[in-house]
Amino acid sequence: MRCIPTWAAIGAALLFAASNASASNGACRTDLAGPATSRIVTVPTTDGPTYGNMQYPKTVPLGPKEVALTFDDGPDPETTRRVLDILDHHCIKATFFMVGYYAEKHPEIVREVAARGHIIGAHTWLHPNSLRRYSLGQAQREIRRGFEAVEAALASAPAEDRKRLAPFFRFPGLNDSSALIRWLGERHVATFSCEFGADDWKPIGSAEVRRRAIRNIASVGRGILILHDTKPRTADMLSSFITTMRDQGYSFVQLAPEAESRKHAATAPGALIGAVEPIAVADMEPVLEPNATLR
């Protein structure tokens, strides 16, 4: 008995062939509207620059209709993996600013974020809404402990994944202070704000989060978007949001530090982040006493 293929089978075969052809031509295999990989935008961290025009004069070098996705406040055992799955489906890499307390509680999710190719920054230890209310010493300890917790969560990961912890920091609530920015800068840690948010931290529905994200991006045209991987409403709208943005001609990029940024930050006096590879003594930055000079 001869097997005659049905139109459904023929259609499925053609779709599979088209998907494979598109993937081989650089398209995302599971979202043909997007590329197979996100463009990586490398940003300097030496001396602690600040990025994001919502607060600062300078931002990251993006082209027209380019958006850098960033996620705050995780890792969360309920929603972070949902977000990761959606990003994988659309072949998008992002940057996650993690809270140290949650990184310590869920180190396996921290390692999974890194293993899936995303960049990780720090977002303090306990996410106080405003570090401005802390003494300078208390705020510094809050930031340092956050970095330490994320780094500890990655300690057992392969070196390639440990490298994904960047000298990137974001203030909770974007409530920065000039003294803390200066302190971070002395340790070669960059501070990130944004160009737009989506208010997903507010008690609004996923459709409204999506609407605000699209509206706010359209008003600026390019930039860093803050979302929260702790919010189910964000995960609920994320795939539809990405599809809509791509339909409107936008593309998504990943923020990453320059090649030597991690080493540079690790060799600073009072470093907040360690090196992935051993550091030679000759590479360490000297600690100068007041009024001391280099010979």
Side-chain angles (χ1 to χ4, degrees):
M1 177 177 170
R2 201 160 48 121
C3 180
I4 300 175
T6 65
W7 285 114
I10 292 171
L14 290 172
L15 181 61
F16 179 77
S19 176
N20 281 345
S22 297
S24 65
N25 289 331
C28 176
R29 188 180 296 272
T30 48
D31 178 5
L32 300 183
T37 58
S38 297
R39 184 173 87 85
I40 296 175
V41 176
T42 56
V43 294
T45 60
T46 300
D47 297 327
T50 53
Y51 297 107
N53 288 153
M54 181 177 282
Q55 291 176 279
Y56 309 121
K58 182 178 180 179
T59 194
V60 295
L62 301 183
K65 289 198 164 185
E66 285 191 328
V67 176
L69 289 182
T70 66
F71 294 89
D72 288 7
D73 295 2
D76 183 274
E78 301 298 324
T79 57
T80 297
R81 285 194 174 103
R82 285 184 63 199
V83 168
L84 292 175
D85 288 344
I86 293 166
L87 295 176
D88 278 354
H89 176 80
H90 293 283
C91 299
I92 292 172
K93 304 300 181 189
T95 304
F96 287 75
F97 290 90
M98 295 188 174
V99 174
Y101 175 79
Y102 297 119
E104 187 176 272
K105 287 188 69 174
H106 307 290
E108 72 287 352
I109 305 180
V110 179
R111 292 190 289 271
E112 186 170 348
V113 170
R116 295 210 200 185
H118 304 284
I119 295 297
I120 299 173
H123 197 44
T124 71
W125 164 246
L126 282 176
H127 196 284
N129 190 49
S130 180
L131 287 174
R132 297 170 185 166
R133 298 174 183 171
Y134 285 35
S135 71
L136 183 59
Q138 288 175 321
Q140 290 168 351
R141 287 190 291 274
E142 177 73 21
I143 294 171
R144 182 178 295 280
R145 192 173 179 189
F147 270 106
E148 290 173 348
V150 177
E151 190 167 1
L154 289 168
S156 63
E160 192 62 32
D161 293 346
R162 296 200 307 274
K163 289 177 183 177
R164 298 193 183 281
L165 175 57
F168 288 0
F169 179 75
R170 178 174 280 155
F171 284 90
L174 303 182
N175 291 313
D176 63 0
S177 79
S178 57
L180 287 171
I181 289 174
R182 188 163 52 250
W183 180 77
L184 289 162
E186 291 166 354
R187 287 149 183 82
H188 305 306
V189 173
T191 296
F192 285 82
S193 180
C194 65
E195 269 66 50
F196 24 66
D199 296 331
D200 60 342
W201 54 275
K202 293 182 178 180
I204 57 178
S206 60
E208 182 62 14
V209 171
R210 177 181 176 276
R211 188 191 71 81
R212 293 186 190 190
I214 293 169
R215 177 199 64 192
N216 294 345
I217 292 169
S219 70
V220 179
R222 73 182 86 183
I224 302 168
L225 173 65
I226 290 183
L227 295 171
H228 295 81
D229 57 305
T230 57
K231 303 299 183 184
R233 63 180 71 95
T234 301
D236 290 343
M237 70 91 200
L238 186 58
S239 186
S240 172
F241 161 73
I242 290 168
T243 298
T244 299
M245 296 307 294
R246 282 180 166 166
D247 287 347
Q248 294 180 7
Y250 287 86
S251 59
F252 295 93
V253 302
Q254 181 182 35
L255 303 180
E258 289 182 334
E260 294 297 308
S261 291
R262 177 73 177 264
K263 181 178 178 181
H264 203 182
T267 55
L272 291 171
I273 187 171
V276 176
E277 306 296 341
I279 298 292
V281 173
D283 290 332
M284 299 294 290
E285 289 188 19
V287 180
L288 297 180
E289 297 297 328
N291 302 319
T293 57
L294 288 173
R295 297 184 181 275

